[in-house]
Amino acid sequence: MDFTSNSGSEGPPHAGTYRVKFSRENFLRILEIANPQTIYHVIRMYFFAYDGFTMYTMECHADDFVHFLVIEAMEFSNRAWNEGMTW
């Protein structure tokens, strides 16, 4: 993809449709590298956008993120939304 063309994009998207799953240790390591402004939490999943991907783990706990803003979300899906969709 060319993010420098006149497509109206200022740069690459924060996250696309691809997800990358990490173990707890590696998720905490990528947090140090990415330094996201926001981490999202749904049930057992913690995730954030970085480098064009959604980075996530199912192995962390709230006390792992005392120095980050964690937003509680209602659901996580990789399916495109449409108004008529029923879950």
Side-chain angles (χ1 to χ4, degrees), residues 1-5 7-14:
M1 276 186 179
D2 178 13
F3 295 109
T4 60
S5 67
S7 64
S9 177
E10 296 288 323
H14 289 289

Side-chain angles (χ1 to χ4, degrees), residues 14-87:
H14 289 289
T17 58
Y18 294 101
R19 297 171 291 162
V20 182
K21 185 176 184 179
F22 290 93
S23 67
R24 178 184 178 273
E25 178 182 320
N26 287 329
F27 189 80
L28 296 175
R29 186 178 303 151
I30 195 75
L31 276 177
E32 292 177 16
I33 295 167
N35 194 25
Q37 292 182 354
T38 307
I39 298 171
Y40 301 93
H41 177 234
V42 174
I43 306 173
R44 290 179 33 232
M45 181 187 297
Y46 288 90
F47 60 97
F48 65 95
Y50 178 68
D51 204 22
F53 301 97
T54 299
M55 310 296 192
Y56 77 100
T57 188
M58 305 286 277
E59 298 178 5
C60 287
H61 304 283
D63 57 346
D64 290 323
F65 306 109
V66 294
H67 300 293
F68 292 92
L69 173 63
V70 176
I71 302 292
E72 297 293 328
M74 293 179 65
E75 69 181 49
F76 176 87
S77 175
N78 63 342
R79 291 192 279 171
W81 180 85
N82 72 51
E83 193 169 352
M85 181 179 282
T86 58
W87 301 92

